[in-house]
Amino acid sequence: MAPAIVLRPARTADVHAIKNLVAPLAEKRILISKESVTYFEAIQEFLIAEIDGEIVGCGALHVMWEDLAEIRTLATTDTLRGRGIGRAIVEKLLVNARVLGVSRVFCLTFEVDFFLRSGFTVMADQSVVDPAVYSELLRSADEGVAEFLDLARVKPNTLGNTRMICQL
């Protein structure tokens, strides 16, 4: 029997582990490495996955608007990839999104098949927010919001990624 995956809210003491999970994916240009302060500022958005007390995955849900959030910084230990850790994190983040009242969850990913299996679809319509909301979102300093809006200044960060969305 496979060891149980335990999901829990992240704590500040987990930032080092989050950075370690992200590092190999950032080297491959799959994720963007962030400064520690960025992880500390967003720690309440993160879930941690543990197996036998060892941190083996993480992911965050970042609310962007009344009905819209983003799954970001989804990472698992390389040696355990494909064992359901990422799926468990995404499922719990989608539950959390529903609890918050969010009806759509966005992601920017290279892992299209993984997110398709989790109920996401490729965004055919790039203008998924009305002009008034778009105007409000432009005021955000958050890079993820800029990536969602497909702003030119973040294009180097998003090359090769697929914009996907899940209707809850």
Side-chain angles (χ1 to χ4, degrees):
M1 188 165 108
I5 300 166
V6 176
L7 299 176
R8 64 166 175 80
R11 298 183 287 261
T12 56
D14 298 324
V15 166
H16 186 70
I18 292 169
K19 288 187 72 147
N20 286 340
L21 287 166
V22 170
L25 297 168
E27 286 176 19
K28 296 176 187 173
R29 299 186 53 102
I30 294 170
L31 291 178
I32 295 173
S33 183
K34 298 174 183 163
E35 298 297 330
S36 296
V37 67
T38 303
Y39 293 119
F40 283 116
E41 289 174 340
I43 199 68
Q44 70 278 4
E45 298 177 355
F46 275 86
L47 278 180
I48 295 295
E50 293 180 327
I51 294 178
D52 294 331
E54 178 187 349
I55 295 175
V56 295
C58 66
L61 180 73
H62 180 77
V63 175
M64 299 166 79
W65 197 252
E66 178 180 7
D67 63 339
L68 183 66
E70 177 188 13
I71 288 182
R72 53 172 63 169
T73 319
L74 181 64
T76 60
T77 302
D78 206 29
T79 58
L80 296 176
R81 204 156 285 129
R83 304 235 180 129
I85 298 164
R87 184 183 71 245
I89 294 168
V90 168
E91 287 173 0
K92 178 62 174 157
L93 291 173
L94 293 176
V95 167
N96 292 354
R98 285 183 188 96
V99 169
L100 291 170
V102 171
S103 60
R104 300 178 298 162
V105 178
F106 159 80
C107 70
L108 187 64
T109 185
F110 289 105
E111 302 296 334
V112 174
D113 290 339
F114 170 83
F115 279 98
L116 286 171
R117 289 190 303 272
S118 296
F120 285 73
T121 58
V122 174
M123 288 174 57
D125 180 9
Q126 300 298 312
S127 60
V128 296
V129 295
D130 67 45
V133 172
Y134 184 91
S135 176
E136 289 285 334
L137 289 174
L138 279 175
R139 297 178 183 148
S140 175
D142 185 88
E143 289 298 299
V145 173
E147 290 165 353
F148 172 76
L149 296 176
D150 205 24
L151 301 180
R153 70 179 170 81
V154 294
K155 291 273 190 212
N157 295 346
T158 63
L159 292 177
N161 279 291
T162 300
R163 295 158 50 87
M164 301 184 77
I165 198 155
C166 180
Q167 303 286 335
L168 301 179

